[in-house]
């Protein structure tokens, strides 16, 4: 399998999940401005949306959208408990988090990353994100992981977007449950390896 990524982008989430599964894969870096891969391929022929992540399977088929990719990968290795079985409430609670992280957190960062966002809009974006991270912190109180007894695909995604929160210097200092959780995630061998491979540590 090939995972198309950009260092530190949302593709870090399926990258961590791939390492958690122990499956074989190759990382391919994409320049999101030129839409060229590190091998000079036209990335738009792989993912016409021009966004990372994309997962190319050994039969050549391509899966896009981070939430779909991590579910696919987790279901290949159910013994890793990255996403519990169909029918288990824990599975749907994990999907609930994936959806929240995608629509409320991930996409909340987009205006802060875009060069054409008016400066006047940015403080409101930051305040909204800080408010939402406070909610996440409240949900992590007394818990090791977002859902159930295991690190799941939702933890990998939250870790990815929380890195942006620190990079953007959001005011997260009082969120002690979130910080304790972040430190737990950061100690996982798969996470350490993914950050190293992306040149982030
Ligand atoms: N809906 C997509 C969004 C992916 C996405 O936002 N990717 C960003 C990097 S974090 C990207 O490729 N941005 C470049 C662009 O949109 O042109 C998903 O959830 O996988």
């Amino acid at each position: 399998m090939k995972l198309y990524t950009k260092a530190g982008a949302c593709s870090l989430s399926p990258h961590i999940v791939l390492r958690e599964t122990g499956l074989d894969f190759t990382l391919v870096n994409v320049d999101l401005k030129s839409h060229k891969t590190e091998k000079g391929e036209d990335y738009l022929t792989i993912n016409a949306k021009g966004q990372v992540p994309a997962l190319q399977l050994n039969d050549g088929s391509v899966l896009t959208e981070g939430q779909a990719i991590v579910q696919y990968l987790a279901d290949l290795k159910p013994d890793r408990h990255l996403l519990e079985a169909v029918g288990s409430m824990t599975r749907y609670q994990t999907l609930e988090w994936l959806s929240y992280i995608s629509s409320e957190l991930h996409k909340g960062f987009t205006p802060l990353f875009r060069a054409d966002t008016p400066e006047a809009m940015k403080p409101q974006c930051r305040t909204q994100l800080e408010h939402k991270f406070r909610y996440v912190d409240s949900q992590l109180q007394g818990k090791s992981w977002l859902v159930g007894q295991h690190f799941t695909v939702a933890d990998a995604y939250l870790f990815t977007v929380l890195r942006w929160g620190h990079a953007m210097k959001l005011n997260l200092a009082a969120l002690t449950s979130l910080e304790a959780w972040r430190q737990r995630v950061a100690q996982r061998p798969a996470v350490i390896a993914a950050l190293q491979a992306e040149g982030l540590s």
Side-chain angles (χ1 to χ4, degrees):
M1 280 187 283
K2 281 185 199 165
L3 181 69
Y4 291 87
T5 56
K6 177 181 177 257
C10 52
S11 45
L12 176 62
S13 160
H15 181 187
I16 290 171
V17 171
L18 262 168
R19 290 186 186 270
E20 291 279 352
T21 63
L23 291 161
D24 271 345
F25 67 97
T26 309
L27 275 187
V28 182
N29 283 300
V30 179
D31 181 328
L32 291 171
K33 290 207 176 85
S34 65
H35 295 129
K36 291 276 185 228
T37 72
E38 65 186 54
K39 294 176 180 153
E41 303 156 293
D42 177 2
Y43 184 59
L44 295 176
T45 64
I46 295 154
N47 180 6
K49 289 179 267 194
Q51 294 177 310
V52 292
L55 183 73
Q56 189 165 46
L57 307 186
N58 294 338
D59 67 2
S61 57
V62 174
L63 190 61
T64 65
E65 299 298 315
Q67 291 192 57
I69 294 171
V70 295
Q71 289 176 60
Y72 173 77
L73 294 172
D75 285 341
L76 291 178
K77 289 283 178 182
D79 57 311
R80 304 293 166 112
H81 300 285
L82 294 161
L83 184 60
E84 294 298 349
V86 170
S88 147
M89 192 58 187
T90 309
R91 183 185 185 93
Y92 305 106
Q93 287 165 339
T94 308
L95 302 183
E96 183 181 20
W97 272 113
L98 284 184
S99 179
Y100 185 81
I101 296 162
S102 173
S103 57
E104 305 297 331
L105 298 174
H106 178 171
K107 287 300 158 181
F109 278 99
T110 305
L112 298 181
F113 292 148
R114 289 185 62 102
D116 58 359
T117 302
E119 283 304 313
M121 251 184 79
K122 293 187 178 173
Q124 194 197 357
C125 296
R126 299 170 67 85
T127 303
Q128 282 179 0
L129 282 165
E130 285 163 359
H131 173 73
K132 287 171 185 176
F133 276 117
R134 275 201 296 281
Y135 165 74
V136 177
D137 178 70
S138 74
Q139 297 304 300
L140 280 167
Q141 270 174 33
K143 288 199 212 161
S144 295
W145 310 112
L146 276 173
V147 183
Q149 304 307 311
H150 300 280
F151 173 94
T152 69
V153 294
D155 294 293
Y157 196 10
L158 178 60
F159 182 79
T160 299
V161 301
L162 180 57
R163 287 188 74 258
W164 304 341
H166 289 293
M168 291 284 141
K169 301 200 174 356
L170 294 185
N171 184 3
L172 306 173
L175 307 187
T176 52
S177 299
L178 185 65
E179 176 55 18
W181 166 90
R182 189 197 65 76
Q183 288 181 21
R184 246 184 320 277
V185 175
Q187 285 166 11
R188 295 180 72 80
V191 174
I192 293 169
L195 291 174
Q196 272 173 358
E198 295 199 15
L200 301 171
S201 60

